[in-house]
């Protein structure tokens, strides 16, 4: 897509942002916890939530997944059987947020991820080096680095960590499993959640 076309689309869809109400954490599975983030998620290499992502974390650079760490209060931590991690862009000019990545089967003992964790270990099992699995992003890649439309303004990228009190069915630990399938599967299983937000923007020079 040429810069001129991107800028034209950005102008056309300038008001098509902020689809927070359709974010993953607003689904039925979060009915009892939607309004309270009890899991603290940090990105030590990037800064506090709502920090601007360095170019190395975007499509224009290396497209690295940011290092994330999380901590749950004792009443949640002691019940966790598995973690779930979702990355999405609620500011994309589409009806629903773009899913940048789905990561399932994260062991209860693992409370951080780094870029190397997202290298493939076994593609036949959708297994990553970090010991967890990947589902289907919008374009099928393991992770879609941020690349907002040029001149569309800042986009927020949500990195949502969800604590599950039951492990997902093994059939869902697949590269074809969608955001919607996971959302349905975790109803009644969510103990709590939290997120870190990164910001990215592309401007026509």
């Amino acid at each position: 897509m040429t810069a001129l076309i991107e800028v034209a689309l950005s102008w056309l869809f300038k008001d098509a942002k902020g689809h927070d109400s359709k974010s993953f954490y607003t689904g039925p599975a979060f009915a009892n916890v939607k309004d309270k983030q009890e899991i603290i998620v940090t990105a030590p290499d990037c800064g506090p939530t709502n920090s601007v992502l360095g170019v190395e974390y975007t499509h224009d650079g290396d497209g690295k997944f940011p290092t994330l760490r999380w901590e749950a209060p004792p009443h949640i931590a002691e019940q966790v059987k598995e973690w779930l991690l979702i990355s999405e862009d609620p500011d994309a000019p589409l009806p629903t947020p773009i899913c940048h990545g789905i990561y399932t089967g994260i062991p209860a003992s693992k409370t951080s991820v780094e870029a190397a964790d997202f290298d493939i270990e076994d593609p036949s099992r959708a297994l990553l080096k970090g010991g967890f699995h990947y589902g289907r992003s919008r374009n099928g890649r393991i992770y879609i680095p941020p690349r907002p439309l040029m001149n569309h303004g800042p986009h927020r990228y949500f990195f949502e960590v969800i604590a599950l009190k039951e492990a997902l069915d093994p059939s869902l630990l697949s590269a074809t499993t969608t955001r919607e399938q996971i959302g349905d599967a975790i109803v009644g299983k969510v103990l709590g959640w939290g997120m870190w937000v990164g910001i990215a923007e592309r401007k026509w020079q």
Side-chain angles (χ1 to χ4, degrees):
M1 186 184 300
T2 68
L4 188 59
I5 293 174
E6 277 198 54
V7 170
L9 287 172
S10 293
W11 178 84
L12 185 63
F13 296 111
K14 62 182 183 297
D15 297 322
K17 295 176 72 175
H19 301 297
D20 298 41
S21 64
K22 296 183 179 179
S23 294
F24 187 77
Y25 66 85
T26 66
F30 297 83
N32 297 324
V33 298
K34 181 173 64 175
D35 297 325
K36 56 179 181 179
Q37 295 187 45
E38 291 191 275
I39 296 171
I40 299 171
V41 185
T42 59
D45 297 337
C46 298
T49 194
N50 293 316
S51 288
V52 174
L53 290 163
V55 67
E56 66 269 31
Y57 299 103
T58 72
H59 179 275
D60 294 329
D62 296 330
K64 293 196 309 180
F65 198 100
T67 294
L68 299 176
R69 296 175 183 163
W70 58 89
E71 182 178 355
H75 73 277
I76 289 178
E78 62 191 17
Q79 298 183 68
V80 176
K81 293 296 187 290
E82 200 167 85
W83 301 100
L84 170 66
L85 174 58
I86 303 283
S87 175
E88 59 185 351
D89 172 8
D91 294 319
L94 294 169
T96 58
I98 285 181
C99 179
H100 281 249
I102 303 173
Y103 309 101
T104 57
I106 302 174
S109 60
K110 187 175 179 64
T111 55
S112 67
V113 293
E114 57 186 37
D117 287 339
F118 296 86
D119 292 336
I120 295 179
E121 174 74 21
D122 183 351
S124 69
R125 299 168 54 208
L127 181 65
L128 298 173
K129 294 281 188 184
F132 51 90
H133 303 262
Y134 61 94
R136 181 170 178 77
S137 67
R138 181 173 176 81
N139 66 5
R141 294 181 60 181
I142 293 170
Y143 174 58
I144 307 173
R147 188 188 183 280
L149 275 177
M150 199 173 290
N151 280 23
H152 197 240
H155 278 215
R156 295 163 299 153
Y157 293 85
F158 292 173
F159 295 85
E160 302 158 38
V161 175
I162 300 103
L164 301 179
K165 62 183 178 182
E166 295 178 31
L168 289 172
D169 188 286
S171 66
L172 292 171
L173 306 181
S174 159
T176 60
T177 300
T178 66
R179 174 183 183 271
E180 290 72 27
Q181 287 175 305
I182 294 295
D184 290 341
I186 64 172
V187 172
K189 299 179 180 180
V190 175
L191 291 165
W193 71 287
M195 73 176 173
W196 182 84
V197 181
I199 309 293
E201 182 176 10
R202 296 171 65 241
K203 296 180 180 180
W204 192 12
Q205 303 298 329

